[in-house]
Amino acid sequence: MRLLLVEDDLKIASFVLKGFQEAGFTVRQAKDGETGLHMALHDPFDAAVIDIMLPKLDGLSLIQRLRLKKVDTPVIILSARTSVDDRVKGLQSGGDDYLTKPFSFSELLARVQALIRRATGAREATRLAVGDLSLDLLKREVYRAGKRIDLQPREFSLLEYLMRNEGRVVSKTMIMQNVWDYDFVPMTNVVEARMCILREKIDREFSPKLIHTVRGAGYVLKEGA
C-alpha cells in the first residue's frame, strides 16, 4: 500500500515514516504543501497523512485543491490544534479524519487502515489471491496451498506488488519505485537478491511456479510458464 506523508517537522516525519515502512507501506514524503500537492495529483496513493501547518501551501488548502481536482485519496489530518472548530474546519476542507498532536503511532496506523478499508469498500480488497497463493493485507499473512509462509516486511511488500500486477510484467525500476520508494535504480542487485529469496519461499516447494523472469524486461507473477 502506498502512503503520502506531508509533514515539515523532521522529527515527526521520521517517526511516522519509519512506522509505516515497518508496517509494510511504501511511503512518499513531502516537506511542504506545494510538493505534497504535486505528488498527490500525479501519483496514486491509498491514503495521505497531511499536517496543517506547512510551508508554501497549508494543509487545508492542499486538501481543498485535491478535492476540487476530484482526487478522492483518503486523508487524515495531523494538527496541534485541538479545538472543535479546528476539527470541523479540517473535515469541511475535505479531510476524512483528524488526529491531534501528540499522538501514538499505533492509533495513526489504525486510523489510516480504517480509512483505506472504507475507501476500498469490499472485503475482497483486504485479500489478494493468485492460484493457491493468498495474501491477507490486514493480518499480513501469506499462505500457499494452505501452508503458512513467513515473509520479512520487504518481501511481503514485494509479493503484494507482484500480486496486484498479476499477469503484467513489472520492471526493476517499477519495483524500486513502488516497493523501495526509490526514483532511481541503485547500482546494486537488491531487487534480484530479494526476488531470489521470495522465489525460494513461494515457489521452491510448490507447483506450478508463480514468479517468472522475463529476460530484459523484468518479472511477472502468474500461473503457468
Side-chain angles (χ1 to χ4, degrees):
M1 287 179 281
R2 289 173 57 81
L3 179 86
L4 173 63
L5 171 63
V6 189
E7 171 63 73
D8 64 322
D9 185 307
L10 297 181
K11 185 176 181 180
I12 293 176
S14 176
F15 161 69
V16 172
L17 180 69
K18 180 180 179 182
F20 276 108
Q21 287 178 334
E22 290 178 351
F25 283 74
T26 296
V27 184
R28 300 293 303 276
Q29 181 189 352
K31 298 178 182 178
D32 63 77
E34 287 185 357
T35 303
L37 178 63
H38 178 81
M39 288 181 174
L41 290 175
H42 293 87
D43 294 316
F45 292 97
D46 296 290
V49 176
I50 300 176
D51 186 26
I52 286 184
M53 300 299 293
L54 294 168
K56 297 186 180 180
L57 181 68
D58 67 89
L60 297 187
S61 297
L62 191 167
I63 297 167
Q64 289 170 346
R65 294 190 189 185
L66 289 181
R67 299 315 186 215
L68 287 174
K69 293 289 187 178
K70 307 301 181 184
V71 176
D72 58 1
T73 302
V75 173
I76 183 166
I77 296 169
L78 296 182
S79 176
R81 300 174 179 175
T82 61
S83 73
V84 173
D85 285 345
D86 287 322
R87 290 172 182 266
V88 170
K89 287 178 182 177
L91 298 176
Q92 288 178 336
S93 72
D96 299 280
D97 200 355
Y98 192 105
L99 186 61
T100 58
K101 301 176 182 180
F103 57 87
S104 70
F105 177 76
S106 60
E107 181 179 6
L108 176 60
L109 175 62
R111 290 192 183 209
V112 167
Q113 289 173 330
L115 286 181
I116 293 173
R117 286 197 299 272
R118 289 202 296 269
T120 54
R123 293 179 181 177
E124 289 78 11
T126 67
R127 182 178 176 274
L128 303 175
V130 177
D132 61 357
L133 175 67
S134 65
L135 181 149
D136 191 308
L137 293 166
L138 298 182
K139 295 181 179 178
R140 300 193 64 75
E141 293 177 348
V142 175
Y143 288 86
R144 177 131 197 223
K147 181 179 179 181
R148 172 76 178 268
I149 298 174
D150 293 321
L151 299 180
Q152 296 297 317
R154 189 72 72 180
E155 295 159 7
F156 186 95
S157 297
L158 177 56
L159 180 61
E160 178 187 348
Y161 182 67
L162 291 172
M163 294 181 74
R164 287 187 183 277
N165 289 278
E166 176 192 359
R168 292 194 290 266
V169 177
V170 293
S171 68
K172 182 177 176 181
T173 299
M174 293 167 65
I175 292 172
M176 293 302 297
Q177 289 175 339
N178 289 276
V179 179
W180 272 264
D181 195 28
Y182 291 164
D183 290 323
F184 63 95
V185 179
M187 299 301 290
T188 70
N189 65 344
V190 62
V191 173
E192 292 90 338
R194 192 66 69 172
M195 193 70 74
C196 182
I197 295 172
L198 185 62
R199 272 178 157 158
E200 179 75 8
K201 295 181 178 182
I202 297 299
D203 280 343
R204 187 172 65 86
E205 298 180 7
F206 304 95
S207 183
K209 305 305 180 187
L210 296 178
I211 301 175
H212 307 275
T213 299
V214 180
R215 191 180 299 272
Y219 303 91
V220 60
L221 187 145
K222 63 178 182 177
E223 292 187 89

